[in-house]
Amino acid sequence: MTVVTSSIAPPEGVFVPVPTFFKSSPVPPALQAPLDIEAQIQHSIHLAKNGIRGLVLLGSTGEAIHLSREERFELISGVRKGLTEAGFLDYPIMAGVLTNSVDEALEWLADAERAGAQWGLVLAPGYFGAAANQENLQEWYTLVADSSPIPILIYNYPGVTNNIIVSLETYTKLAAHPKIVGCKMSHGNVSHHVQVSLDPTIDHSKFRVFSGFGQQLGPIVLFGAAGVIDGLAAIYPRTVSRLFDLAAKRPVTPEALSEIQLLQFAVSRAEEMVGKWGIVGIKEGIYQVLKIGNLQGGRLPLKGRMPKGEWESWSVAMDAMKKLEEV
């Protein structure tokens, strides 16, 4: 299924980097458990119904590197079909592109467009991260964007790319490309988020800045960022979305600021679990709170669940989030 797109920026708001759901056990002769498309669709519809502005499928949290080309297409097309049948026509979907080759990145993007994604979230090529200078990064992204069938966002995640940091100057130059429509910064440098969000030489209606951390939501959105692509929102979508809505509204009244501070504290505290446990923790939370999926974790080497009693040890933070989610 193909969704007609143009080079427009993704909408502002909270996106969720959804984990990929797998069945509990392999079906011989397969060595690993297959995709659980039914659970994937169930979770996606829940998010769409509860304030989430869009999905990131097959990003880092989605374990795209653990899936085959056929599985990646099946997942995107399955979610697109499920959302459409549930009444969420043209619901925003970004597809992760986690490969270092220009040609292979374009292959991923072509598949994503054919499956129904409107944007590609393209990871900085980091295998030779220590040797990658900013000029080469700019050329790499320009080559990909020039030939991509869908608009792309720059994905800077130093933790999985040998500590590549996309420079402020690189963002400014690439933001001028008509098919590069935003970025996701998955690092703790709030100054970079704010500087790119406020750069007067960038057209911010066409280039949107997202953080990968809900801990930064309030601070960066108050200073012009477009939103977050946040893992905790996979568990508590209404609360994280409420925090965004308050932070994005202008003017910010004293009453709204008080609620922003309350929500940001609760979100940041709960994000500590996501920071510690990553994909395994997000999947555990989805199962414990939403009863979707299972406790098998991801694919090797991410298979397994939290140790016994670990989820319960986060009860203060998670109980607070649960109460906020029910308001």
Side-chain angles (χ1 to χ4, degrees):
M1 177 184 297
T2 299
V3 175
V4 177
T5 62
S6 58
S7 295
I8 59 172
E12 297 179 330
V14 177
F15 280 68
V16 169
V18 294
T20 294
F21 294 92
F22 302 103
K23 298 288 183 67
S24 297
S25 57
V27 178
L31 301 177
Q32 299 193 93
L35 299 174
D36 187 344
I37 299 298
E38 182 179 343
Q40 201 80 49
I41 293 171
Q42 181 185 2
H43 184 239
S44 297
I45 292 172
H46 176 78
L47 298 178
K49 287 180 175 178
N50 285 279
I52 295 304
R53 195 64 185 88
L55 307 177
V56 174
L57 302 177
L58 301 174
S60 301
T61 302
E63 298 185 70
I65 56 169
H66 294 161
L67 274 61
S68 69
R69 182 180 184 181
E70 292 77 13
E71 286 175 322
R72 294 195 301 268
F73 182 86
E74 180 186 357
L75 188 143
I76 297 172
S77 60
V79 170
R80 170 60 71 200
K81 183 175 184 289
L83 286 167
T84 299
E85 290 177 349
F88 295 97
L89 279 66
D90 297 330
Y91 189 77
I93 294 177
M94 297 183 197
V97 177
L98 315 184
T99 182
N100 287 251
S101 160
V102 168
D103 291 328
E104 192 171 3
L106 290 169
E107 181 182 274
W108 283 46
L109 286 161
D111 289 347
E113 189 267 346
R114 188 164 55 92
Q118 296 107 315
W119 300 273
L121 182 64
V122 182
L123 186 67
Y127 188 89
F128 291 108
N133 60 43
Q134 295 298 312
E135 291 76 16
N136 286 347
L137 281 178
Q138 291 166 23
E139 183 176 358
W140 190 92
Y141 271 108
T142 299
L143 284 172
V144 172
D146 283 346
S147 297
S148 175
I150 53 178
I152 69 170
L153 291 84
I154 302 160
Y155 181 16
N156 188 193
Y157 184 5
V160 297
T161 55
N162 285 307
N163 295 312
I164 281 182
I165 294 291
V166 177
S167 73
L168 298 171
E169 294 77 14
T170 292
Y171 283 121
T172 300
K173 289 181 179 179
L174 291 177
H177 194 291
K179 290 173 71 176
I180 299 179
V181 296
C183 65
K184 176 188 179 186
M185 301 186 199
S186 289
H187 58 66
N189 191 332
V190 173
S191 178
H192 273 209
H193 290 78
V194 171
Q195 288 188 67
V196 178
S197 297
L198 296 177
D199 186 340
T201 67
I202 292 175
D203 183 346
H204 298 288
S205 69
K206 298 179 180 178
F207 187 88
R208 298 274 164 78
V209 177
F210 295 89
S211 172
F213 301 142
Q215 300 94 317
Q216 299 169 340
L217 194 163
I220 65 169
V221 171
L222 284 168
F223 285 93
V228 291
I229 300 171
D230 174 57
L232 184 69
I235 310 168
Y236 303 107
R238 294 183 63 194
T239 303
V240 181
S241 296
R242 172 66 176 166
L243 174 56
F244 170 82
D245 290 343
L246 289 167
K249 188 175 181 180
R250 299 293 182 271
V252 180
T253 66
E255 294 77 15
L257 182 58
S258 294
E259 188 174 355
I260 290 169
Q261 292 170 338
L262 182 152
L263 291 173
Q264 186 65 70
F265 173 74
V267 166
S268 294
R269 183 171 56 177
E271 294 278 5
E272 296 291 325
M273 184 279 292
V274 175
K276 180 177 180 180
W277 288 101
I279 294 168
V280 170
I282 293 170
K283 284 193 167 185
E284 176 106 21
I286 293 170
Y287 181 80
Q288 296 285 358
V289 176
L290 303 178
K291 306 305 178 188
I292 297 173
N294 56 50
L295 293 173
Q296 300 301 314
R299 281 188 170 168
L300 291 170
L302 300 178
K303 185 180 177 181
R305 60 169 299 187
M306 287 179 167
K308 186 177 181 179
E310 177 66 16
W311 173 259
E312 290 74 15
S313 74
W314 295 90
S315 61
V316 171
M318 299 309 161
D319 287 350
M321 289 297 294
K322 180 180 178 181
K323 290 178 182 178
L324 290 168
E325 195 76 358
E326 293 171 350
V327 171

